[in-house]
Structure formats: C-alpha cells, structure tokens
Amino acid sequence: MKAFFEKHVLLVAMILAMVFTIGAVAACGDDDDDDDDDDDDDDDFGDDDFSDDDADDDATDDDADDDDAATGDAPVLSNGFWDPASFTWSADCETTGCTAILFSVCDPDGDLTDPGGAWFYAAGTTDQFFVEQPITWGDLNPDAMDVTNCDAPLETGIGLLIGEDGFGSGAGDYTLAADIEGTDAAGNVSNKLTNLTLTVTYNG
C-alpha cells in the first residue's frame, strides 16, 4: 500500500493486521497486503458478467434471470464513528484494541452474507484499510442477528491493534481517516460513510 506517513498522518502501515470484531469472538487473519488488487476487489462486487447464447430468446431469458439476481435493496450504512475517537497511545495498544471503528448496517432483503462484506478504505481513496478485505458479514454479525429493520440497524465494527513503529515522525498528534461501504450477497453496493477520523497522541 502507498505509504502516506508523515506527522499528523497515521496510516494503515501502522495498523497491525490483527483485527477483531466488536461484540464477537471471530477474528480476521493476516494476509500479505496487495494494493494492486484494490480495484479488482471493488469490481468483483456489483458487476454482472453475461454470457452470450446463440438464441436471442435464450439470451434474453438469461439476462432477465441475472438481472433478477442482482436486483433488490442495497445495504444501508449509518452512524460511523471511532470509539474512542481520540486517545494517547501506550504499549498496551500493541496487544489489546485501544480503539475501534464502528458503524450500523441494515439490509431490507436480509442478504448480508458471503460474498458480500464491508470495505474499509483510507479516506478519499481506494487504498485498502485492512490487509484482508472485505471483512465478511459472518465476522461482523457472527450471531446472524436480523438486519432487515432499518429503524433498528445492527451495530458492528472492527477493533485495531496499533504498533509503535507507525509513529515515524516522533511525538505529536496523528490522524487517521477512513471510509466504509458494504455489499450484499447480490452485489448491491451501499452508501459510503466518509472521513471517519481518529486522532492518536504519541508521546514518544
């Protein structure tokens, strides 16, 4: 991933690959970061590949079937925030989650299952925030809670372990901003939560 590290900018390289879900025991594993796959990963959701049939009628029927599979309501994300949104770094942050990025989600169709998931980006970019994405709805909703009621959306999120080696510019305040969007099993893409900002004070 492109490194943006400078003072007052705390980027993904400082975030260890170990993440854990809020309110769940499931954890995401470590994979090698592959920035070149970011755009490909985005394209995997919401794009339909139609095969050509010799008969026009058959092709029309196939297209209609594929369209039906891809239709429906997109997930709705809301109330994105960091908890806490600011803190002073300590060595404990390398072994326990000192902060978490939280959000609420609903989907009237109730199809928040594989291959859908939540996508986290460095704010304003398509750079992946975590080394393994998407974070699956299975990890974010391990108890398979009902998500169809948008008047009472599910709150979920990801906790972070933050390593000291990310503070390359020395003591000071560092900020990290993220965007979140989600996809459902049909490939519908949610609205995007943008510029969710975390501030970390590093005293050296």
Side-chain angles (χ1 to χ4, degrees):
M1 178 173 292
K2 183 164 57 173
F4 293 174
F5 268 115
E6 291 179 357
K7 196 169 183 180
H8 307 300
V9 180
L10 176 64
L11 281 199
V12 186
M14 71 164 291
I15 301 173
L16 301 184
M18 297 176 62
V19 296
F20 59 90
T21 57
I22 303 305
V25 295
C28 301
D30 295 352
D31 280 339
D32 291 336
D33 193 358
D34 187 356
D35 296 333
D36 293 336
D37 290 339
D38 291 349
D39 292 339
D40 292 341
D41 289 343
D42 293 344
D43 292 340
D44 288 341
F45 294 89
D47 291 342
D48 294 321
D49 296 324
F50 300 107
S51 59
D52 293 331
D53 291 334
D54 293 335
D56 291 340
D57 290 342
D58 290 343
T60 301
D61 291 340
D62 288 347
D63 288 355
D65 290 342
D66 285 342
D67 287 342
D68 289 341
T71 59
D73 295 309
V76 178
L77 306 188
S78 59
N79 195 33
F81 65 100
W82 292 91
D83 185 22
S86 61
F87 66 93
T88 299
W89 186 89
S90 71
D92 290 341
C93 294
E94 294 185 311
T95 56
T96 60
C98 287
T99 187
I101 187 168
L102 305 179
F103 65 99
S104 296
V105 60
C106 68
D107 186 273
D109 296 331
D111 59 348
L112 295 186
T113 58
D114 292 342
W119 297 81
F120 297 78
Y121 303 104
T125 77
T126 56
D127 292 336
Q128 289 189 177
F129 194 84
F130 297 113
V131 296
E132 181 180 352
Q133 296 197 171
I135 307 299
T136 69
W137 295 119
D139 281 344
L140 292 166
N141 185 18
D143 297 325
M145 301 292 290
D146 177 53
V147 295
T148 59
N149 183 2
C150 286
D151 291 329
L154 173 74
E155 184 177 87
T156 186
I158 295 292
L160 283 80
L161 303 180
I162 300 178
E164 187 174 15
D165 56 355
F167 303 103
S169 298
D173 290 334
Y174 291 75
T175 60
L176 174 63
D179 297 341
I180 310 173
E181 67 181 358
T183 55
D184 62 19
N188 296 305
V189 180
S190 75
N191 60 302
K192 182 179 286 187
L193 303 178
T194 61
N195 202 36
L196 307 179
T197 302
L198 167 72
T199 301
V200 182
T201 298
Y202 178 64
N203 291 327

